[in-house]
Amino acid sequence: MTVPALLVLLFCLRGRAGLSPHFLQQPEDLVVLLGEEARLPCALGTYSGLVQWTKDGLALGGERDLPGWSRYWISGNAASGQHDLHIRPVELEDQASYECQATQAGLRSRPAQLHVLVPPEAPHVLGGPSVSLVAGVPANLTCQSRGDARPTPELLWFRDGVRLDGTTSYQTLLKKGTTESVESILSLTPSSHDDGATLVCRARSQALPAGRDTAITLSLQYSPVVTLSAEPQTVQEGEKVTFLCQARAQPPVTGYRWAKGGSPVLGARGPILEVVADASFLTAPVSCEVSNAVGSANRSTAVDVQFGPILLAKPEPMSVDLGEDASFSCAWRGNPLPRVTWTRRGVAQVLGYGPTLRLPSVGPEDAGDYVCKAEPGLSGLGGGAAEARLTVNAPPVVTALHSAPAFLWGPARLQCLVFASPAPEAVVWSWDEGFLEKGSQGRFLVETFPAPEGRVGQGPGLISVLHISATQESDFSRGFNCSARNRLGEGGTWVSLGRRDSLPTVPIVAGVASSAMTLLMVITGVALCCWCQGKASFSKQKNLVRIPGSSHGSSLQGPEEEETGSSEDQGPIMHMDSSDLVLDEEGALETKDPTNGYYKVRGVSVSLSLGKTPGGDLFLPPPSPLGPLGTPPFYDFNSHLGMPPPCKLYRAQAGYLTTPHSRAFASYIKPTSFGPPDLAPRTPPFPYAAFPTPSHPRLQTHV
């Protein structure tokens, strides 16, 4: 046998011969629930003496059944050294420090601490099991755990299995240092959706890891929760639409209030409102307000009302300079959005779409009226057009107007038409030796009139007229320039004067001569007849009445009067009945008014000359007013003066009798009225050119 093996055998023999009592197993700290069984193990080797257990130093006894400790006993095979302590059921008083002792061997195990755990009781929630809260108002929920739970329990809040945050825990301690109660406060702001919700407060500790729960139900008081709907949601303008206002509230609903666009709908009560939709419902939503004891809630909705286009903003007229950009805008409202087109009046072509039309670098051809048009909607309602005028500011446009040809030495008239925007500062006529803007100068006169119709987009029109009082040869060979200017420039045109041929001279002279010869023969025959019939009656007293002439009467004297060489205005002579003449205070004769003032006529102021006429015993009158032009008119008063016909004639000078004699006219021939004639060259003015036109109607009296 080797040396190492011998040494090991020797050591074993030596140790066996010297073994002493010792612990094969000692008790350890133990945690046990209240009411359950606790077992503290103890095993000794090479010891067969007394074994006992101590509790906090107090010996429990050496018997196996431990008399006096009904819930305690020792188990195991004592011969093999097994001495386990059992406690059942464990109570709080059993919580202590325990030792296993071998009294005869003087052995003591290490102390084993027995911890008795007390599970928490079910927590209590204040106000439960149904807690009443107000929606929207912050609230606190309190959960309490009372009793001798060991260790101190933890309180947790759960909803639908989900732990809730925002809790605060409090502990109340006894004087002995033990916990009396634990509180947990859950802070929340409930909403109407929390009504009927279940919350769980759980007390959990080491003694009861699963914990114990207490559930509560939330009973919410809340203002109405409103749902507003419209049927149908899409409606044509003029059709009916029904609004339904549904509310969920606790406590129940107490009232409904309807409004449209913020304005109350009078007479609307209850949860249903029926109206006829129009365009305003698209932008002015309908609202329903529901109230109860807690508060009120409001909901609104807009209806998709389809309506035709409505004009919101018309296009504005524009005036732009030549070459600048122009733009028009108009606004239409409709549902669906209207289709807007732009055209130019008189032109079918569409120039653009949408609310704005842009015209870059405009010219005179762009001037005119532009139309913004929207087609009617699906219902056929609405739509229409609006227009605005574009005026293009440009230099004046001058056009020559037709001018009638004129006679040499006669009047002439030239015309031009001016269109300009802005309005022309001046319109000037010019010719070789001069120019004239307004007024008169020599033979020339300028007048300006507004044109009857303006040209669209080019401003109002003007007509400028150049009058020429007596044309000359040079007027027909030269041109006259009509020009106008404004701030943008100048425009002009040339106007020429056409010449009109003179009337045929030979036929006119032949006709005048023939008429003169015929008239002379008639006058001669009348004069001879008067001389023959009145020769015997001139032996009686003759009343010769001379009518005073006008201021220019000297130019109208007959040949007989010129031969007398008298400077006194003799006037024409006529025969009158002396019974119709009355001498005034100065010896002059006046005619009587046979109407006694009814017609308020004034007698002709006459003078009486007794005796022979300056030309002899018989006054031979000149030709009648039906003779050639240039001869003074005569009037026959023979039948009214009681004189022998037909030679008792009255000759008017520088006009005609404006206030007839009281028995002057039963009927008479109105004298011919002459206007300014077209004079032949170098022809002196006619003496009757300034004759006034009679202003009174023909007076007829019957004696």
Side-chain angles (χ1 to χ4, degrees), residues 214-444:
T214 297
I216 62 169
T217 302
L218 298 182
S219 176
L220 267 295
Q221 290 187 348
Y222 51 92
S223 58
V225 179
V226 181
T227 301
L228 181 61
S229 60
E231 184 63 33
Q233 185 61 40
T234 301
V235 62
Q236 294 289 335
E237 183 178 17
E239 295 181 351
K240 285 187 178 182
V241 60
T242 301
F243 295 90
L244 177 61
C245 184
Q246 295 176 313
R248 178 171 53 88
Q250 182 63 34
V253 172
T254 57
Y256 294 85
R257 179 177 176 269
W258 292 91
K260 174 177 174 287
S263 300
V265 179
L266 301 179
R269 297 181 179 86
I272 298 177
L273 174 66
E274 289 187 354
V275 294
V276 176
D278 57 29
S280 63
F281 282 83
L282 189 64
T283 55
V286 173
S287 62
C288 174
E289 182 179 0
V290 185
S291 304
N292 69 350
V294 176
S296 62
N298 188 300
R299 289 291 180 271
S300 61
T301 183
V303 181
D304 184 17
V305 180
Q306 296 185 347
F307 57 93
I310 300 174
L311 180 62
L312 299 180
K314 296 181 179 179
E316 297 293 335
M318 292 198 65
S319 177
V320 298
D321 291 347
L322 185 68
E324 293 184 353
D325 296 343
S327 65
F328 293 98
S329 297
C330 70
W332 293 86
R333 176 172 171 260
N335 185 32
L337 194 66
R339 182 173 181 265
V340 180
T341 60
W342 289 89
T343 58
R344 183 176 174 184
R345 179 171 291 280
V347 180
Q349 180 184 1
V350 176
L351 303 178
Y353 299 91
T356 303
L357 174 66
R358 291 181 174 86
L359 302 173
S361 186
V362 299
E365 67 279 0
D366 295 318
D369 294 328
Y370 288 83
V371 181
C372 170
K373 184 179 181 181
E375 298 296 334
L378 299 177
S379 62
L381 302 176
E387 65 180 44
R389 175 163 294 183
L390 173 62
T391 301
V392 179
N393 299 324
V397 177
V398 184
T399 306
L401 298 180
H402 172 72
S403 300
F407 292 110
L408 181 63
W409 303 108
R413 174 187 176 102
L414 301 177
Q415 303 177 102
C416 68
L417 177 61
V418 180
F419 287 107
S421 176
E425 301 168 2
V427 179
V428 180
W429 285 90
S430 60
W431 54 93
D432 295 342
E433 68 273 14
F435 66 91
L436 185 59
E437 178 180 343
K438 59 182 177 179
S440 60
Q441 175 183 325
R443 299 181 296 116
F444 302 96

Side-chain angles (χ1 to χ4, degrees), residues 516-680:
M517 290 299 294
T518 304
L519 183 59
L520 181 59
M521 293 175 63
V522 172
I523 293 174
T524 302
V526 172
L528 290 176
C529 179
C530 290
W531 180 80
C532 293
Q533 294 182 3
K535 183 176 181 180
S537 62
F538 273 93
S539 61
K540 300 179 182 179
Q541 183 181 2
K542 303 295 188 298
N543 296 331
L544 302 178
V545 179
R546 183 184 307 275
I547 299 177
S550 65
S551 60
H552 57 281
S554 58
S555 64
L556 301 176
Q557 291 177 350
E560 307 92 340
E561 297 169 359
E562 292 177 358
E563 293 176 359
T564 62
S566 174
S567 62
E568 182 180 358
D569 185 7
Q570 300 295 330
I573 300 174
M574 68 179 178
H575 294 273
M576 300 185 67
D577 191 345
S578 59
S579 63
D580 295 330
L581 303 176
V582 180
L583 287 173
D584 58 12
E585 296 177 355
E586 299 178 357
L589 290 176
E590 292 184 354
T591 58
K592 294 187 296 184
D593 180 7
T595 66
N596 294 324
Y598 179 79
Y599 288 101
K600 298 185 184 298
V601 297
R602 181 179 177 184
V604 179
S605 177
V606 299
S607 61
L608 181 62
S609 177
L610 300 176
K612 298 180 181 180
T613 65
D617 294 337
L618 179 62
F619 175 73
L620 296 178
S624 70
L626 301 179
L629 294 176
T631 59
F634 292 88
Y635 299 89
D636 186 0
F637 285 84
N638 179 67
S639 59
H640 305 289
L641 297 178
M643 295 183 179
C647 59
K648 305 302 184 288
L649 301 176
Y650 165 75
R651 182 181 66 183
Q653 180 176 356
Y656 66 93
L657 190 62
T658 59
T659 305
H661 186 266
S662 59
R663 294 191 301 172
F665 302 102
S667 62
Y668 74 102
I669 301 175
K670 185 176 180 180
T672 305
S673 175
F674 299 93
D678 292 335
L679 302 179

Side-chain angles (χ1 to χ4, degrees), residues 62-307:
E63 292 82 2
R64 305 294 285 184
D65 56 356
L66 298 177
W69 302 89
S70 59
R71 295 180 294 107
Y72 289 63
W73 73 92
I74 296 174
S75 66
N77 188 357
S80 61
Q82 191 72 33
H83 305 278
D84 298 337
L85 177 63
H86 292 261
I87 304 172
R88 188 178 62 184
V90 175
E91 295 181 358
L92 288 177
E93 60 185 24
D94 299 330
Q95 182 169 296
S97 177
Y98 293 88
E99 290 182 358
C100 179
Q101 298 177 355
T103 305
Q104 296 173 349
L107 296 176
R108 299 177 62 182
S109 68
R110 60 175 178 268
Q113 188 70 35
L114 177 62
H115 297 279
V116 179
L117 300 181
V118 180
E121 297 179 358
H124 173 68
V125 179
L126 299 181
S130 178
V131 179
S132 180
L133 302 177
V134 177
V137 178
N140 294 327
L141 298 179
T142 301
C143 179
Q144 296 178 341
S145 176
R146 293 182 177 271
D148 295 328
R150 297 180 184 182
T152 302
E154 179 185 17
L155 299 180
L156 304 175
W157 288 94
F158 293 87
R159 178 176 178 176
D160 299 330
V162 179
R163 182 176 174 177
L164 300 178
D165 296 327
T167 61
T168 304
S169 298
Y170 300 92
Q171 292 183 356
T172 303
L173 302 179
L174 298 176
K175 294 180 180 179
K176 296 181 180 180
T178 61
T179 302
E180 181 183 17
S181 67
V182 178
E183 290 184 355
S184 178
I185 298 177
L186 174 65
S187 299
L188 75 162
T189 302
S191 66
S192 60
H193 300 288
D194 297 327
D195 185 38
T198 299
L199 300 183
V200 174
C201 179
R202 178 176 297 171
R204 186 179 66 178
S205 69
Q206 184 181 0
L208 189 61
R212 289 184 176 176
D213 297 341
T214 297
I216 62 169
T217 302
L218 298 182
S219 176
L220 267 295
Q221 290 187 348
Y222 51 92
S223 58
V225 179
V226 181
T227 301
L228 181 61
S229 60
E231 184 63 33
Q233 185 61 40
T234 301
V235 62
Q236 294 289 335
E237 183 178 17
E239 295 181 351
K240 285 187 178 182
V241 60
T242 301
F243 295 90
L244 177 61
C245 184
Q246 295 176 313
R248 178 171 53 88
Q250 182 63 34
V253 172
T254 57
Y256 294 85
R257 179 177 176 269
W258 292 91
K260 174 177 174 287
S263 300
V265 179
L266 301 179
R269 297 181 179 86
I272 298 177
L273 174 66
E274 289 187 354
V275 294
V276 176
D278 57 29
S280 63
F281 282 83
L282 189 64
T283 55
V286 173
S287 62
C288 174
E289 182 179 0
V290 185
S291 304
N292 69 350
V294 176
S296 62
N298 188 300
R299 289 291 180 271
S300 61
T301 183
V303 181
D304 184 17
V305 180
Q306 296 185 347
F307 57 93

